[in-house]
Tab-separated table of all heavy atoms in Angstrom:
chain	number	residue	atom	x	y	z
C	27	GLN	N	-9.459	-2.373	-13.210
C	27	GLN	CA	-8.491	-1.939	-14.203
C	27	GLN	C	-8.289	-3.027	-15.269
C	27	GLN	O	-8.510	-4.215	-15.011
C	27	GLN	CB	-7.151	-1.639	-13.533
C	27	GLN	CG	-7.203	-0.508	-12.511
C	27	GLN	CD	-7.052	0.854	-13.166
C	27	GLN	OE1	-7.662	1.160	-14.180
C	27	GLN	NE2	-6.228	1.691	-12.570
C	37	GLU	N	3.607	-11.460	-18.871
C	37	GLU	CA	2.357	-12.109	-19.250
C	37	GLU	C	1.178	-11.249	-18.815
C	37	GLU	O	1.167	-10.692	-17.720
C	37	GLU	CB	2.266	-13.493	-18.611
C	37	GLU	CG	3.294	-14.478	-19.133
C	37	GLU	CD	3.195	-15.832	-18.458
C	37	GLU	OE1	2.485	-15.928	-17.446
C	37	GLU	OE2	3.827	-16.786	-18.955
C	42	PRO	N	-6.568	-8.962	-9.217
C	42	PRO	CA	-7.179	-9.876	-8.251
C	42	PRO	C	-8.694	-9.751	-8.149
C	42	PRO	O	-9.397	-10.755	-7.986
C	42	PRO	CB	-6.491	-9.484	-6.935
C	42	PRO	CG	-5.156	-8.972	-7.360
C	42	PRO	CD	-5.399	-8.253	-8.647
C	44	LYS	N	-10.792	-8.966	-10.499
C	44	LYS	CA	-11.410	-9.630	-11.648
C	44	LYS	C	-11.506	-11.129	-11.407
C	44	LYS	O	-12.553	-11.754	-11.665
C	44	LYS	CB	-10.609	-9.340	-12.913
C	44	LYS	CG	-11.164	-10.036	-14.153
C	44	LYS	CD	-10.320	-9.761	-15.383
C	44	LYS	CE	-10.864	-10.454	-16.618
C	44	LYS	NZ	-10.076	-10.159	-17.830
C	54	VAL	N	-17.762	-8.405	-15.283
C	54	VAL	CA	-16.605	-7.536	-15.038
C	54	VAL	C	-16.456	-6.566	-16.207
C	54	VAL	O	-16.530	-6.965	-17.375
C	54	VAL	CB	-15.314	-8.363	-14.876
C	54	VAL	CG1	-14.095	-7.450	-14.731
C	54	VAL	CG2	-15.421	-9.286	-13.661
C	63	PRO	N	-17.016	8.714	-22.218
C	63	PRO	CA	-18.490	8.686	-22.214
C	63	PRO	C	-19.067	7.282	-22.324
C	63	PRO	O	-20.060	6.966	-21.644
C	63	PRO	CB	-18.857	9.549	-23.430
C	63	PRO	CG	-17.703	10.495	-23.578
C	63	PRO	CD	-16.491	9.705	-23.180
C	69	VAL	N	-21.437	1.877	-17.056
C	69	VAL	CA	-21.621	1.765	-15.605
C	69	VAL	C	-23.042	2.146	-15.204
C	69	VAL	O	-23.707	1.436	-14.435
C	69	VAL	CB	-20.591	2.640	-14.859
C	69	VAL	CG1	-20.901	2.673	-13.368
C	69	VAL	CG2	-19.179	2.114	-15.094
C	73	GLU	N	-27.495	0.350	-13.535
C	73	GLU	CA	-28.474	0.912	-12.597
C	73	GLU	C	-28.149	0.575	-11.137
C	73	GLU	O	-28.978	0.034	-10.406
C	73	GLU	CB	-29.882	0.437	-12.956
C	73	GLU	CG	-30.326	0.868	-14.344
C	73	GLU	CD	-31.756	0.463	-14.663
C	73	GLU	OE1	-32.306	-0.413	-13.936
C	73	GLU	OE2	-32.333	1.016	-15.606
C	76	LEU	N	-26.008	1.767	-5.330
C	76	LEU	CA	-24.846	2.229	-4.574
C	76	LEU	C	-23.590	1.750	-5.284
C	76	LEU	O	-23.538	0.618	-5.769
C	76	LEU	CB	-24.872	1.656	-3.146
C	76	LEU	CG	-23.656	1.929	-2.258
C	76	LEU	CD1	-23.619	3.399	-1.834
C	76	LEU	CD2	-23.673	1.027	-1.033
C	78	VAL	N	-19.617	1.081	-4.518
C	78	VAL	CA	-18.588	0.943	-3.485
C	78	VAL	C	-17.240	0.854	-4.188
C	78	VAL	O	-17.056	0.017	-5.065
C	78	VAL	CB	-18.810	-0.323	-2.636
C	78	VAL	CG1	-17.669	-0.490	-1.623
C	78	VAL	CG2	-20.150	-0.263	-1.919
C	79	THR	N	-16.307	1.712	-3.807
C	79	THR	CA	-14.952	1.614	-4.344
C	79	THR	C	-13.978	1.245	-3.231
C	79	THR	O	-14.186	1.595	-2.070
C	79	THR	CB	-14.486	2.930	-5.003
C	79	THR	OG1	-14.274	3.919	-3.996
C	79	THR	CG2	-15.505	3.451	-5.999
C	81	ALA	N	-9.730	1.001	-3.492
C	81	ALA	CA	-8.454	0.944	-4.212
C	81	ALA	C	-8.669	0.642	-5.691
C	81	ALA	O	-8.009	-0.224	-6.265
C	81	ALA	CB	-7.526	-0.105	-3.581
C	90	ILE	N	-20.898	9.547	-12.732
C	90	ILE	CA	-21.117	8.300	-11.989
C	90	ILE	C	-21.398	8.600	-10.522
C	90	ILE	O	-22.262	7.969	-9.902
C	90	ILE	CB	-19.914	7.357	-12.150
C	90	ILE	CG1	-19.821	6.885	-13.606
C	90	ILE	CG2	-20.023	6.160	-11.198
C	90	ILE	CD1	-18.637	5.979	-13.897
C	94	PRO	N	-26.042	6.777	-8.703
C	94	PRO	CA	-26.754	5.896	-7.762
C	94	PRO	C	-27.555	6.692	-6.728
C	94	PRO	O	-27.102	7.735	-6.241
C	94	PRO	CB	-25.620	5.124	-7.083
C	94	PRO	CG	-24.430	5.286	-7.976
C	94	PRO	CD	-24.583	6.625	-8.604
C	101	VAL	N	-13.846	2.758	0.511
C	101	VAL	CA	-13.161	2.112	1.639
C	101	VAL	C	-11.703	2.540	1.558
C	101	VAL	O	-10.959	2.069	0.690
C	101	VAL	CB	-13.294	0.578	1.557
C	101	VAL	CG1	-12.603	-0.075	2.755
C	101	VAL	CG2	-14.755	0.159	1.470
C	113	ALA	N	-1.093	5.715	-1.478
C	113	ALA	CA	-0.191	4.830	-0.727
C	113	ALA	C	-0.290	5.086	0.781
C	113	ALA	O	0.724	5.279	1.452
C	113	ALA	CB	1.245	5.021	-1.202
C	136	GLU	N	-12.864	15.634	-5.423
C	136	GLU	CA	-11.548	15.888	-4.856
C	136	GLU	C	-10.989	14.602	-4.225
C	136	GLU	O	-11.729	13.756	-3.733
C	136	GLU	CB	-11.615	16.996	-3.797
C	136	GLU	CG	-11.977	18.353	-4.352
C	136	GLU	CD	-13.459	18.503	-4.648
C	136	GLU	OE1	-14.265	17.696	-4.089
C	136	GLU	OE2	-13.828	19.373	-5.448
C	150	ILE	N	-0.476	0.094	14.872
C	150	ILE	CA	0.569	-0.427	13.994
C	150	ILE	C	1.620	-1.051	14.896
C	150	ILE	O	2.276	-0.358	15.678
C	150	ILE	CB	1.184	0.682	13.128
C	150	ILE	CG1	0.115	1.319	12.236
C	150	ILE	CG2	2.322	0.116	12.268
C	150	ILE	CD1	0.628	2.472	11.386
C	164	SER	N	-7.247	-4.626	4.936
C	164	SER	CA	-8.196	-5.114	3.930
C	164	SER	C	-9.338	-5.876	4.597
C	164	SER	O	-10.503	-5.733	4.205
C	164	SER	CB	-7.491	-5.988	2.896
C	164	SER	OG	-6.975	-7.164	3.470
C	174	THR	N	-21.407	-0.636	8.161
C	174	THR	CA	-21.853	0.713	7.798
C	174	THR	C	-23.087	0.708	6.901
C	174	THR	O	-23.942	1.600	7.002
C	174	THR	CB	-20.707	1.459	7.080
C	174	THR	OG1	-19.567	1.498	7.940
C	174	THR	CG2	-21.107	2.875	6.699
C	201	ARG	N	10.104	5.615	-7.704
C	201	ARG	CA	11.381	4.909	-7.644
C	201	ARG	C	12.362	5.598	-6.687
C	201	ARG	O	13.085	4.934	-5.931
C	201	ARG	CB	11.982	4.827	-9.058
C	201	ARG	CG	13.320	4.096	-9.143
C	201	ARG	CD	13.221	2.652	-8.700
C	201	ARG	NE	12.302	1.906	-9.525
C	201	ARG	CZ	12.613	1.291	-10.655
C	201	ARG	NH1	13.840	1.354	-11.121
C	201	ARG	NH2	11.710	0.606	-11.315
C	228	ALA	N	12.913	-1.553	-0.299
C	228	ALA	CA	13.897	-0.473	-0.180
C	228	ALA	C	15.181	-0.837	-0.934
C	228	ALA	O	15.502	-2.018	-1.114
C	228	ALA	CB	14.210	-0.208	1.288
C	235	THR	N	26.485	-0.928	-7.586
C	235	THR	CA	25.395	-1.734	-8.130
C	235	THR	C	24.218	-1.740	-7.160
C	235	THR	O	24.409	-1.689	-5.937
C	235	THR	CB	25.846	-3.182	-8.386
C	235	THR	OG1	26.261	-3.776	-7.142
C	235	THR	CG2	26.993	-3.218	-9.374
C	242	VAL	N	15.725	-5.341	8.000
C	242	VAL	CA	16.814	-4.893	8.864
C	242	VAL	C	16.338	-4.916	10.310
C	242	VAL	O	15.148	-4.974	10.597
C	242	VAL	CB	17.276	-3.448	8.514
C	242	VAL	CG1	17.770	-3.355	7.082
C	242	VAL	CG2	16.166	-2.433	8.775
C	244	TRP	N	17.419	-2.636	14.028
C	244	TRP	CA	18.063	-1.358	14.316
C	244	TRP	C	18.485	-1.282	15.771
C	244	TRP	O	17.962	-1.983	16.639
C	244	TRP	CB	17.125	-0.195	13.972
C	244	TRP	CG	15.965	-0.035	14.915
C	244	TRP	CD1	14.821	-0.774	14.959
C	244	TRP	CD2	15.867	0.910	15.987
C	244	TRP	NE1	14.009	-0.349	15.972
C	244	TRP	CE2	14.620	0.689	16.620
C	244	TRP	CE3	16.701	1.930	16.467
C	244	TRP	CZ2	14.193	1.452	17.711
C	244	TRP	CZ3	16.267	2.681	17.552
C	244	TRP	CH2	15.029	2.438	18.162
C	260	GLY	N	28.922	-10.449	8.824
C	260	GLY	CA	29.072	-11.848	9.190
C	260	GLY	C	27.761	-12.585	9.068
C	260	GLY	O	26.797	-12.095	8.481
C	281	ALA	N	21.227	-7.619	-7.468
C	281	ALA	CA	20.613	-7.510	-8.793
C	281	ALA	C	20.631	-8.862	-9.506
C	281	ALA	O	21.653	-9.544	-9.547
C	281	ALA	CB	21.350	-6.465	-9.626
Side-chain angles (χ1 to χ4, degrees):
Q27 298 275 45
E37 293 179 348
K44 178 182 180 178
V54 176
V69 172
E73 299 183 344
L76 174 72
V78 176
T79 70
I90 293 178
V101 181
E136 294 78 19
I150 299 177
S164 65
T174 302
R201 181 61 61 87
T235 61
V242 300
W244 72 283

